[in-house]
Amino acid sequence: MSLDVSPALLAQAEHGRVNQADFLDTVRTSLPYAYQVVAGLSTELSATEDEFTTDNTTPTDEERAQLLRALASNAIRGSLEDHFGVKLAFVNCHRVGAFRPGTEDGDAYREFTSLHNQIRNQSPELRSC
C-alpha cells in the first residue's frame, strides 16, 4: 500500500472531491523520505538560476521504495509537482531531478531523461531496485 489513508480522506474520495492539502499531508506522512527529497530539491532549485537540480544520494531500501511509490503514481507525483512548483524526472530507483516547469523541451531535461543517461546511471548494486 502506498499511502496510509485516513477515514476522513477516504470519505472525501468517496464523495468525489479530495482536498489537495489533505492529500499532500497524507503523502507527507506516508512517504516522508520521498516528500523530503522533493521538498529539498524544490528549495535548492529556487535558490539558484539553474534549470534543474538533482538528488543522487543512495537511499536505504525503505527510502527507495518510497521514491518508487511516489514517482510511479501519477496522482502523487502530480500533486508533489503542483505543490512544490517543479517538474520531476526520475532516472532510476534513486536519482530524482527537479526541473523548472516549462523546461521539458530543453536540452537539460532531454539529457536527464535520455536512454544513454539511464544506462550511465546503472550499477550492479542497484540492479534490483
Side-chain angles (χ1 to χ4, degrees), residues 57-79:
T57 58
T58 303
T60 66
D61 286 344
E62 182 180 328
E63 293 167 340
R64 184 178 299 124
Q66 286 187 34
L67 284 174
L68 290 170
R69 291 195 312 269
L71 296 173
S73 165
N74 289 344
I76 296 171
R77 182 183 191 148
S79 293

Side-chain angles (χ1 to χ4, degrees), residues 101-120:
T103 62
E104 298 90 340
D105 290 330
D107 291 340
Y109 185 85
R110 284 196 303 265
E111 171 62 26
F112 190 84
T113 60
S114 69
L115 299 176
H116 57 271
N117 196 42
Q118 177 70 43
I119 292 168
R120 287 193 309 248

Side-chain angles (χ1 to χ4, degrees), residues 1 4 9-14 42 46 60 78 84 86 96 129:
M1 181 166 57
D4 297 320
L9 189 61
L10 183 58
Q12 287 181 30
E14 288 173 348
S42 172
S46 67
T60 66
F84 288 109
V86 297
V96 180
C129 70

Side-chain angles (χ1 to χ4, degrees), residues 13 15 31 72 100 127:
H15 289 97
L31 306 170
R100 297 187 188 284
R127 176 82 181 184

Side-chain angles (χ1 to χ4, degrees), residues 1-2 5 7 9 12 19 29 33 40 53-54 68 75 80-82 84 91 98 106 119 121 127:
M1 181 166 57
S2 294
V5 177
L9 189 61
Q12 287 181 30
N19 179 284
T29 58
Y33 178 78
T53 188
T54 185
L68 290 170
L80 289 169
E81 288 175 333
D82 290 345
F84 288 109
V91 175
I119 292 168
N121 278 278
R127 176 82 181 184

Side-chain angles (χ1 to χ4, degrees), residues 9 12-13 17-25:
L9 189 61
Q12 287 181 30
R17 292 188 178 226
V18 174
N19 179 284
Q20 181 82 358
D22 292 343
F23 181 71
L24 280 165
D25 189 53

